[in-house]
Every structure is written in structure tokens, then in C-alpha cells.
Amino acid sequence: MITDKLKLAWQNTIAALIPCPCALCRADSREVICEACRLGYFTQTLPRCSQCALPLPPHASTSRCGDCLSNPPAFSQTITVCDYAAPQDQLVLALKFGHDLALAPWFASMLRESILQQREFELPQLLCAVPLGRRRLAERGFNQAQEIARPLSKQLGIPLGLHVLQRSRDTAMQSSLPNAARAANVKQAFCLAADMTDKIRGMHIGVVDDVMTTGMTMHEIATMLKRFGAAKVSAYVFARTLPHLS
């Protein structure tokens, strides 16, 4: 405990002496995102579908959108911080392709706030991250979903299963495909670690990712987890792509 306090004090001292530029506006900031940008871009509370997190009309009479009511995905809920739109989308790109790993703990802290702000929230018993294929992991050198899930696990006090979810095969990037091809692209692309097949039965599992585009990847993962007995799957994503951008 003392070591942690000394470490935090040292980090705060360094941050005060050597301010870093805000990742959005480039102004000097003690955090990766300055207070002005955080208040300006991350404090708006829009009504969202409780299941897929797409925006709802201002006076919607139900908590779920029409698509989720008529064709519900396998995951039960989605919690997100923001829309995948300018300028917030630049943060996702900076983490994923710019290797700005300092953003991952900030993404996690913002996700934690969004989770705890829900009127009725039920924390999962286990956190997992959407896995990358071997080729893309080798190219990038890290899995951005895992980098977000690690600090989120600590902040929520929930165990993290880094290798619970695995890729059965490499797939094309969902964002590079037309909507009609995305379901087939991820079909049976995920599997469960062999030592977990009897351990997730009856569990509520939270799956972390940086962005949800159409939700097909999360649906495929949730379908597989429920096939092995998971009782509930929740999606925790930093950003949600709007329908006209997916």
C-alpha cells in the first residue's frame, strides 16, 4: 500500500513538472485528455438502446431499439462511452494504429464511469477481451482490447481472463467489409480456451473492445459463450459506430 502511494505521488509530481499534450487539442495537460476536452466531448448523456447502444429517439417509449426488439443479438447489453465520430474517433485510431498505449487506461476509466452510471447495473463475474488474430497481433504488437480490459478489470475489481477467448481463424477487418459480408466473416471465428469449457457455465461475462461497429463480432462471441453455458454476456466498448458510418 505504501509503495502504491509513493508510486502515485511520484507519477503526480512528474506529471506536474512535465505536462504532456492533450491527445485531442494538444494543450498542456496532466492527463492524456485535458479537462476541457473531457467535459466538451465525454459528458453528454444520450438515450441509447440498452442492448446495442445505438442512439434512441429523445422520447422513445422503450429502452431497446427496433432492431434489437425484432432481431435481438446474443449479448444482453452494451455500455459505451461515446459515438465513433469526430473528434473522439481520433483517440481510437491513435491507440490502435498510433501505438499510443497511454490512452488505454483512460479509455478504461471512462468505461468504468459509464458502467457505474447505469441506473441498474450488474457487474459481470469475469472480464474478457475480443481477441486478435495471430497475423494482426504480430503486425500490431498488442491487442488494444486487452490493453483496455487490464486496467478496467482492476478498476472494477473483476477477474480478467486474458486467454479465455481465442480466435479459431484469422478474419478480415470488419470495417473493410460491406455490412452484408460481416456476419460470414466472423462466423465461427472464435472459440473458448480448453480449460474454460466447464468454468463459465452460469456466469455473467463482460467482453471488452475498443469499438463496436455493427455488433456482429460481439454477437458471434456471445453466441459461442452461451453455447458453453454462459448465462449473460455484456459488451463494454469505448466507442459505438453510428449506423450511417458502419
Side-chain angles (χ1 to χ4, degrees):
M1 182 65 70
I2 295 177
T3 302
D4 290 342
K5 288 182 178 179
L6 289 174
K7 181 179 179 181
L8 180 60
W10 173 251
Q11 290 174 339
N12 289 337
T13 300
I14 293 297
L17 293 174
I18 311 175
C20 60
C22 168
L24 280 177
C25 71
R26 312 312 295 174
D28 287 346
S29 172
R30 292 184 60 182
E31 303 291 338
V32 291
I33 303 297
C34 72
E35 186 68 4
C37 286
R38 190 186 72 81
L39 293 174
Y41 300 119
F42 297 99
T43 56
Q44 298 177 2
T45 54
L46 300 174
R48 293 181 181 275
C49 172
S50 60
Q51 193 161 15
C52 74
L54 284 178
L56 290 172
H59 303 292
S61 59
T62 177
S63 64
R64 293 197 292 164
C65 68
D67 285 346
C68 287
L69 288 171
S70 61
N71 188 26
F75 50 89
S76 300
Q77 65 173 344
T78 300
I79 296 178
T80 188
V81 174
C82 61
D83 290 330
Y84 185 69
Q88 297 96 320
D89 58 347
Q90 296 306 307
L91 298 178
V92 175
L93 297 175
L95 170 61
K96 186 181 295 187
F97 302 114
H99 293 70
D100 192 349
L101 295 179
L103 287 168
W106 189 83
F107 281 17
S109 67
M110 294 300 290
L111 257 177
R112 175 185 177 276
E113 287 186 21
S114 295
I115 292 167
L116 299 183
Q117 284 173 2
Q118 301 300 306
R119 291 182 180 179
E120 296 181 6
F121 69 88
E122 173 195 349
L123 290 178
Q125 298 159 284
L126 178 70
L127 276 186
C128 304
V130 174
L132 283 182
R134 291 183 179 180
R135 184 183 71 252
R136 195 163 301 128
L137 182 60
E139 292 171 352
R140 193 170 297 165
F142 66 96
N143 178 351
Q144 70 279 357
Q146 284 190 0
E147 296 302 318
I148 299 168
R150 282 192 181 97
L152 183 62
S153 167
K154 293 179 181 178
Q155 293 169 15
L156 293 175
I158 299 172
L160 174 62
L162 280 178
H163 306 292
V164 170
L165 297 177
Q166 299 177 356
R167 288 261 181 177
S168 304
R169 56 182 174 81
D170 282 334
T171 59
M173 288 184 66
Q174 288 287 81
S175 59
S176 68
L177 300 173
N179 286 356
R182 292 179 181 181
N185 184 50
V186 295
K187 188 69 175 178
Q188 297 182 343
F190 303 95
C191 60
L192 194 66
D195 61 345
M196 293 298 297
T197 54
D198 296 323
K199 297 179 181 178
I200 68 166
R201 189 171 302 279
M203 293 185 71
H204 175 192
I205 299 177
V207 182
V208 180
D209 206 359
D210 57 339
V211 179
M212 180 184 285
T213 306
T214 62
M216 291 309 305
T217 295
M218 198 67 70
H219 170 73
E220 187 65 25
I221 289 173
T223 299
M224 182 272 295
L225 289 172
K226 287 188 171 182
R227 191 183 306 128
F228 283 98
K232 180 179 180 180
V233 179
S234 295
Y236 301 133
V237 298
F238 177 72
R240 180 62 162 103
T241 301
L242 298 173
H244 66 280
L245 298 176
S246 61

